[in-house]
Amino acid sequence: MRKIQADYIFPVSSSPIKNGILIFENDGTIIDLIEPAHTPYSLQDVEIFNGVLCPGFVNAHCHLELSHLRGKITEKKGMANFISELLQNRFKINDDEQQQYFEDAEKEMLHNGIVAVGDISNFSSTLSIKQKGKLYYHTFVEVLALDPALAEGKLLKGKILAEQFKNVPNGNSSVVPHAPYTVSTELLDLINLSADDSPLCIHLQESAAEIEFCISHSGPFAELFTKLNFNFSYSHPNGFRPIKHILKHLNTKNNVALVHNTYTTREEIKWANNNHKNLYWCFCPNANLYIENRLPAVMDFIEEESKIIIGTDSLASNHQLSVLEELKTISNAFPNFKLETLLKLATLNGAEFLQLENVFGSFDKEKKPGVVLLENVDLINFSLLKETSAKRIW
């Protein structure tokens, strides 16, 4: 048993406790969370920390497969250029080197207080690192094809791959669509029909080029696809903004994460929340700045009472895998955010999306959520500072 005290403990599922004491088993299972004046426990062996204690972070959107591309893609050149450079560099590495990058990326996430990851996979290359069970991984096996004739074959391959990831000791999997500009309506419907009750995700409205392509089949994406000899004549009908097309083909019984949302409007947020009861909005702000040099209108989502979750995206589009750094970026751009709200986005909301709220996300009894110490926090205004850092306690 361990007893740890900090200036403040943020349980997430309830109000912060000043000078609270968190008690947990050696395996991380929460026993109790108490105020010092009301403790039935001995205080002789309490470990005392300066800062804020919170549950481990949930990285709701990552691409472990792209870890070897850190620093290889030009920043702030837009999504079409990002895809072009990614395709040029993605496979210029052998398997042994790639595995080392995966290991280093996982160590980085562990060090930064991440306990669970929603990870996108197109291949089986990350299977060996996930089989070690150091982090919980829900692997989203991503499929794409605009030709309707390819839909059934693509889904079958995705399901075979997802079954491999489902059998890792600490994880689960789903087959999901990549993005509106790479998935036919037929493939989208097949994914939806085969999804049982698993969470789903899709990259959505990340760039102006995506919206232009979906509306008129023109712009930077059309130019890129033509250059790549990628036939986009099968794409869904012209004239639709992506979000309204996509959500009409995804079952409301499933938790669905719309990832990025950099160009989503207030009207679309309201419409989507009214039409999909299990909708989550995933923000990866540092990746948005890296690729498009733009952030989503986060306060619009808050004011519409949206369920927000946080991801890091990949090391191809980010300088680190740190949920805390994502929260800092949001806090700097939108200073009205309370620390309590930020921490909920990064913990309990993500756990609920991945259907892991019985284990992760808050300091409720019998959970095993991980314990993270935030140091150098502004405890007067309850805000994150540039110097704020995360230290894994358990």
Side-chain angles (χ1 to χ4, degrees):
M1 180 190 296
R2 291 182 68 183
K3 306 169 193 173
I4 58 177
Q5 184 178 42
D7 295 305
Y8 283 89
I9 295 181
F10 280 67
V12 177
S13 58
S14 56
S15 300
I17 301 174
K18 186 176 183 178
N19 297 319
I21 299 173
L22 182 67
I23 303 171
F24 57 96
E25 300 281 9
N26 292 333
D27 69 353
T29 304
I30 303 299
I31 298 173
D32 212 344
L33 176 57
I34 53 179
E35 297 182 33
H38 304 105
T39 177
Y41 303 92
S42 167
L43 299 180
Q44 291 182 344
D45 53 351
V46 172
E47 305 169 56
I48 300 175
F49 294 93
N50 295 319
V52 167
L53 287 176
C54 69
F57 295 125
V58 177
N59 183 358
H61 182 77
C62 187
H63 294 254
L64 196 61
E65 279 181 353
L66 304 180
S67 298
H68 61 292
L69 295 177
R70 191 197 309 244
K72 299 289 179 66
I73 311 293
T74 309
E75 296 186 48
K76 299 178 175 58
K77 292 292 186 180
M79 194 64 200
N81 182 78
F82 176 82
I83 293 172
S84 178
E85 290 193 26
L86 187 148
L87 293 174
Q88 292 171 36
N89 289 283
R90 180 166 190 172
F91 301 107
K92 294 181 179 179
I93 188 169
N94 65 48
D95 187 62
D96 288 340
E97 289 177 310
Q98 195 173 37
Q99 293 301 317
Q100 185 61 55
Y101 279 104
F102 298 157
E103 186 175 331
D104 292 343
E106 184 180 71
K107 285 179 181 177
E108 185 174 334
M109 287 194 281
L110 285 162
H111 177 76
N112 289 328
I114 292 168
V115 295
V117 185
D119 188 57
I120 301 291
S121 289
N122 301 101
F123 307 100
S124 62
S125 54
T126 59
L127 188 58
S128 60
I129 195 79
K130 292 172 181 176
Q131 285 173 332
K132 296 177 182 179
K134 293 181 179 180
L135 282 170
Y136 182 98
Y137 288 98
H138 188 108
T139 301
F140 293 104
V141 173
E142 195 174 67
V143 295
L144 58 160
L146 281 176
D147 184 348
L150 300 177
E152 288 189 9
K154 288 286 186 177
L155 178 65
L156 179 58
K157 287 182 179 178
K159 291 172 75 172
I160 291 170
L161 181 56
E163 200 61 35
Q164 296 181 59
F165 285 110
K166 196 179 291 288
N167 292 324
V168 302
N170 195 17
N172 208 335
S173 64
S174 310
V175 178
V176 299
H178 167 246
Y181 52 89
T182 57
V183 178
S184 67
T185 301
E186 289 79 5
L187 180 53
L188 196 60
D189 287 339
L190 287 175
I191 292 169
N192 187 43
L193 287 170
S194 67
D196 52 60
D197 62 349
S198 299
L200 303 174
C201 66
I202 184 168
H203 297 82
L204 192 74
Q205 302 196 167
E206 187 174 0
S207 68
E210 170 189 334
I211 294 170
E212 181 181 6
F213 178 78
C214 289
I215 290 175
S216 63
H217 291 180
S218 62
F221 276 10
E223 294 170 11
L224 173 62
F225 293 164
T226 299
K227 182 180 177 181
L228 296 172
N229 294 317
F230 181 39
N231 185 354
F232 55 86
S233 63
Y234 303 104
S235 187
H236 58 72
N238 291 357
F240 290 91
R241 280 181 65 89
I243 188 169
K244 293 196 173 182
H245 172 75
I246 290 298
L247 283 186
K248 288 175 182 177
H249 294 272
L250 291 177
N251 199 316
T252 58
K253 72 181 176 65
N254 293 90
N255 288 354
V256 173
L258 306 181
V259 183
H260 294 304
N261 313 294
T262 324
Y263 288 79
T264 299
T265 67
R266 180 75 173 260
E267 181 275 329
E268 288 172 332
I269 299 165
K270 186 188 295 286
W271 175 86
N273 285 339
N274 287 337
N275 284 276
H276 202 298
K277 63 182 180 180
N278 293 312
L279 198 62
Y280 291 79
W281 304 87
C282 184
F283 296 145
C284 308
N286 289 326
N288 300 148
L289 293 173
Y290 191 107
I291 298 172
E292 290 282 324
N293 198 27
R294 173 177 169 138
L295 292 174
V298 175
M299 295 312 298
D300 285 352
F301 292 86
I302 291 291
E303 290 168 9
E304 290 297 333
E305 300 181 348
S306 306
K307 290 181 281 190
I308 297 171
I309 56 181
I310 303 296
T312 62
D313 212 30
S314 74
L315 286 172
S317 58
N318 206 333
H319 297 288
Q320 66 278 309
L321 299 179
S322 168
V323 170
L324 175 60
E325 291 301 319
E326 304 299 322
L327 297 183
K328 286 185 190 180
T329 297
I330 293 174
S331 182
N332 288 337
F334 307 98
N336 291 335
F337 259 102
K338 295 180 179 179
L339 180 58
E340 190 173 358
T341 302
L342 284 172
L343 292 179
K344 185 178 180 182
L345 311 186
T347 56
L348 187 56
N349 282 11
E352 289 177 349
F353 163 61
L354 294 176
Q355 301 172 334
L356 301 172
E357 65 270 27
N358 292 331
V359 180
F360 300 116
S362 64
F363 286 145
D364 294 317
K365 292 180 182 180
E366 304 301 324
K367 285 192 178 186
K368 205 171 175 179
V371 182
V372 172
L373 175 69
L374 301 181
E375 298 179 294
N376 300 311
V377 175
D378 181 346
L379 296 178
I380 297 174
N381 299 302
F382 287 105
S383 60
L384 300 174
L385 303 172
K386 182 179 180 181
E387 300 78 18
T388 301
S389 61
K391 178 180 180 181
R392 191 185 195 94
I393 302 298
W394 191 93

